[in-house]
Amino acid sequence: MRAWVVFRKLSHKLVWPGMLVMSLFAGCTDPDKVFEEKFEEANQKITAGEVSSGLALLETLRGERPDDPRVLEALGFAFAEAGRHAEAAEAFTAAAGADPRRPDLPLFAARSHEEAGNLEAAADQYRQYVVGRFDDVTGWQALGRVERARGHHRAATDAFLQVHRLRPSADTAVTLGELFLQLGNLAQAGQWFRQARELDPPGPAEAWLGLLIIDLEEDDRESALARMDEIEERFPGRLDEPPYAQARDEFREWRAAGEERARLAAERAAEAERREAERLAMEEEEALRLETERLAEEEARRAREEALALLEREMEEATREPTVEERVAAKLQRARQFQRARAWDDALREYWEAISLDADRASLWYELSRVLLQAGRSSEAESTALEAIRRNPSREDYHLHYLNAARETQPMRVYLSELERVLAMFPSSYEITLELARAYNHGAFSQSNALRYYRRFLQIAPPTDPRREEVTRQVRRLEAAL
């Protein structure tokens, strides 16, 4: 399946479930119904591979409603599937303008620009995306990749520094080392190449080659010779190509005239023994990790089989038409078994069927939302949490769960606003108070507000709360800073 089809299906999963549920309770005018039917027909055509006819129908719908974000987004995916990436980028950009609550749309626009070869526009869209999703490592990686391809090494460096902040890795460290080399900053380049080796010992070949280039630039022959020996031993053949081969031969002739060869050979032997011990330890650790994963997968498989067996037994033993309450209870039981087995799709299907039987029960929406968040579907978790709150707004735990989902989907300022709103509803909630303090303290958003809410937490939290000590340290730090 092509990548754009996957993106379009994922996007629809983020948008449609809540909308389908709402359509059960809110009627629509005849024109709205016709529009929705045409829109569904277009999506079905594209899913079935009839991209051209589906695209034509979507363009007709855009003529009717030029600012409808769903139509614009669907057009973007359809254009991308048809290989018309420039038009896909324009549609995704328009969709982002029509629905500012969807920070993922600039990401799709950026990818389309990149596919179309318009790297400047792609960089602009990636930059817009990371402004709304500042902690999204994928967005920063894409921005850095595009800026590097454009030859904007300073901008690429800034982007990959954010990638390393969010998800440190040897590959990212190597990339930063190479960018600093291109900028002529040998000191910084060396630090990043060494960090790559520390993050993933003994490090990728590129980290060792980067340090060798620095040795050659600084004409440090002793260091370069030692590093060449290491590289040839770890990565055979990597020094056979220019410019390494000529430097290697020249430096070795220089070393042959000295008396240091025997000492260096002994050091290399000792180092090889140490590396072999590290390798064996890593192999043993990897074998243990694989066995642990295998056992976990086996346990999940057994749990799923038990859930399916229970379902089959219940179907065989059914002798009467169950009540709505019994049907809901049965579906909840199966959903929870699938949840324990981490079979998310099966669990979610049972929850949705339970809700179709009793859509006014707030606890069903709340439980569904928790599973969606566990499954990593934060946007759907947020919308279903709001459904639970709409049916029972007095439950503080429902609001706390909604905030957990909103933290994953909303920009920080929107998330702060939601925290303030919920705290106004539950002014004695020390949990929400502490979350507000941490949110304001994150990235030095507002240290004065952070200090005020940390103090409020100390006033209302139970004396036995284990977080009081950490909060007290934060209060002292902020008081000293302010």
Side-chain angles (χ1 to χ4, degrees):
M1 181 178 292
R2 296 178 61 182
W4 281 111
V5 175
V6 176
F7 282 130
R8 179 171 63 80
K9 290 185 175 180
L10 289 175
S11 177
H12 286 178
K13 288 182 180 179
L14 291 172
V15 175
W16 290 116
M19 298 178 68
L20 289 172
V21 172
M22 290 302 293
S23 67
L24 295 173
F25 307 100
C28 58
T29 64
D30 287 342
D32 288 337
K33 183 176 181 180
V34 171
F35 183 88
E36 292 296 334
E37 289 174 349
K38 289 182 179 179
F39 183 69
E40 180 62 23
E41 180 185 354
N43 280 319
Q44 289 175 354
K45 286 180 178 293
I46 294 171
T47 301
E50 301 175 21
V51 179
S52 297
S53 57
L55 188 56
L57 186 51
L58 284 174
E59 289 179 316
T60 299
L61 293 176
R62 185 180 186 182
E64 296 176 14
R65 298 185 184 180
D67 296 324
D68 190 310
R70 294 181 306 154
V71 174
L72 292 169
E73 180 183 1
L75 270 171
F77 284 115
F79 279 133
E81 181 67 13
R84 296 161 64 177
H85 298 293
E87 292 167 283
E90 183 275 330
F92 283 130
T93 302
D99 189 359
R101 297 170 301 174
R102 290 284 307 283
D104 56 325
L105 292 173
L107 178 63
F108 298 144
R111 286 172 175 159
S112 294
H113 279 306
E114 193 173 352
E115 290 282 352
N118 190 347
L119 298 185
E120 181 178 0
D124 289 340
Q125 289 295 319
Y126 280 130
R127 196 169 289 107
Q128 288 185 37
Y129 173 74
V130 296
V131 167
R133 290 285 184 87
F134 196 72
D135 288 341
D136 188 323
V137 67
T138 303
W140 285 111
Q141 283 175 327
L143 176 59
R145 182 186 68 247
V146 170
E147 292 290 23
R148 190 178 187 183
R150 297 172 64 203
H152 292 194
H153 299 136
R154 177 61 64 186
T157 299
D158 294 339
F160 278 107
L161 284 171
Q162 295 295 338
V163 173
H164 192 78
R165 174 181 66 86
L166 296 167
R167 188 185 298 166
S169 71
D171 288 342
T172 301
V174 166
T175 299
L176 284 164
E178 292 171 349
L179 287 168
F180 276 112
L181 266 182
Q182 291 168 323
L183 291 170
N185 191 333
L186 300 184
Q188 282 286 341
Q191 289 182 14
W192 284 109
F193 287 134
R194 284 188 289 272
Q195 190 167 139
R197 296 193 312 178
E198 293 169 3
L199 286 168
D200 185 19
E206 289 74 15
W208 290 84
L209 292 171
L211 290 169
L212 175 59
I213 290 173
I214 294 174
D215 291 337
L216 296 176
E217 289 284 339
E218 295 178 342
D219 197 26
D220 188 342
R221 297 195 170 196
E222 291 286 359
S223 179
L225 280 166
R227 208 174 311 278
M228 285 178 180
D229 289 336
E230 294 279 3
I231 292 171
E232 285 203 319
E233 185 173 340
R234 295 177 187 274
F235 314 106
R238 291 305 297 266
L239 296 181
D240 292 340
E241 306 244 346
Y244 307 112
Q246 181 179 354
R248 176 192 60 191
D249 295 341
E250 291 178 357
F251 282 22
R252 283 182 174 170
E253 289 176 5
W254 171 80
R255 184 177 61 180
E259 298 179 352
E260 292 295 315
R261 183 183 299 274
R263 183 181 65 83
L264 292 175
E267 289 180 355
R268 288 198 302 275
E271 183 65 14
E273 183 178 350
R274 181 188 66 79
R275 288 197 305 274
E276 178 64 13
E278 288 181 352
R279 185 186 65 79
L280 292 173
M282 290 175 65
E283 289 180 351
E284 182 177 348
E285 181 180 347
E286 178 66 10
L288 178 61
R289 182 186 68 79
L290 292 173
E291 178 62 16
T292 301
E293 289 180 353
R294 187 191 66 78
L295 292 174
E297 291 174 357
E298 180 66 20
E299 179 64 25
R301 182 188 62 78
R302 284 198 297 269
R304 180 185 174 93
E305 290 175 351
E306 290 173 2
L308 291 172
L310 175 62
L311 175 60
E312 292 174 357
R313 289 197 300 272
E314 290 175 349
M315 294 176 64
E316 293 171 357
E317 296 170 0
T319 59
R320 63 179 177 83
E321 183 68 20
T323 65
V324 170
E325 184 63 29
E326 289 173 336
R327 290 163 65 191
V328 170
K331 290 187 178 299
L332 281 178
Q333 183 181 16
R334 290 194 294 271
R336 290 164 182 163
Q337 287 175 323
F338 283 128
Q339 178 188 357
R340 287 193 292 273
R342 303 180 72 81
W344 304 121
D345 289 341
D346 293 324
L348 291 172
R349 182 190 67 246
E350 296 293 336
Y351 276 118
W352 279 116
E353 291 179 3
I355 286 174
S356 71
L357 295 170
D358 190 359
D360 289 328
R361 190 186 301 185
S363 62
L364 292 179
W365 289 99
Y366 171 66
E367 199 166 335
L368 168 63
S369 181
R370 287 170 62 86
V371 175
L372 284 166
L373 191 59
Q374 287 179 332
R377 294 158 66 167
S378 304
S379 180
E380 294 174 70
E382 179 184 3
S383 63
T384 49
L386 289 172
E387 292 292 338
I389 292 171
R390 184 168 67 85
R391 289 162 173 79
N392 190 349
S394 63
R395 288 285 296 269
E396 179 181 345
D397 54 339
Y398 288 6
H399 289 272
L400 285 170
H401 171 66
Y402 160 70
L403 290 172
N404 286 336
R407 180 171 53 209
E408 301 295 326
T409 62
Q410 299 293 344
M412 180 57 72
R413 293 195 179 277
V414 175
Y415 176 59
L416 284 169
S417 177
E418 286 298 280
L419 281 170
E420 296 278 8
R421 179 184 64 78
V422 176
L423 183 60
M425 297 174 62
F426 304 96
S428 61
S429 172
Y430 56 88
E431 294 289 350
I432 300 174
T433 301
L434 180 57
E435 185 59 24
L436 258 171
R438 288 171 171 169
Y440 274 117
N441 197 30
H442 177 70
F445 237 82
S446 173
Q447 292 186 336
S448 61
N449 282 340
L451 178 59
R452 175 163 60 90
Y453 285 115
Y454 276 134
R455 287 171 173 168
R456 175 62 178 160
F457 172 84
L458 293 175
Q459 292 173 353
I460 63 178
T464 57
D465 193 298
R467 296 168 295 186
R468 295 181 68 90
E469 182 177 350
E470 182 259 339
V471 170
T472 301
R473 287 197 300 270
Q474 291 292 341
V475 168
R476 290 173 180 166
R477 182 184 64 78
L478 290 170
E479 287 175 341
L482 294 174

